[in-house]
Amino acid sequence: NPPSLVGVNVGAPFMHAGNARTLEEILSPTFLPHHRALSANFTPSAADVSNLVAYLQSIDDNATAVAPTVGAIDVDLCQ
């Protein structure tokens, strides 16, 4: 059961032991094995990281929830 993304911009540090101090750091090559756990094709550009961080920081209590899409991830997380 993953945590909510509401207020993620005030939740630093991140990762298991607080190893990432910023959202940008989470998306850096340092944590590439974590990214690749869900998608071997996850290789964001600097612009992608900037856009994703801006999006994550915009999520607040007024954001419209989006229902998950069945089959959106190419791995079986229930194994």
Side-chain angles (χ1 to χ4, degrees), residues 6-26:
V6 173
V8 72
N9 58 327
V10 295
F14 304 99
M15 302 302 277
H16 309 289
N19 294 335
R21 295 174 301 268
T22 66
L23 293 170
E24 290 85 358
E25 194 170 3
I26 290 172

Side-chain angles (χ1 to χ4, degrees), residues 52-75:
L52 183 54
V53 168
Y55 170 73
L56 292 171
Q57 290 175 334
S58 75
I59 299 172
D60 60 17
D61 289 329
N62 297 319
T64 302
V66 177
T69 304
V70 175
I73 300 176
D74 60 354
V75 295

Side-chain angles (χ1 to χ4, degrees), residues 10-55:
V10 295
F14 304 99
M15 302 302 277
H16 309 289
N19 294 335
R21 295 174 301 268
T22 66
L23 293 170
E24 290 85 358
E25 194 170 3
I26 290 172
L27 298 167
S28 74
T30 301
F31 295 101
L32 188 61
H34 289 72
H35 310 156
R36 297 281 167 87
L38 289 177
S39 175
N41 299 319
F42 185 77
T43 53
S45 67
D48 292 335
V49 169
S50 180
N51 289 336
L52 183 54
V53 168
Y55 170 73

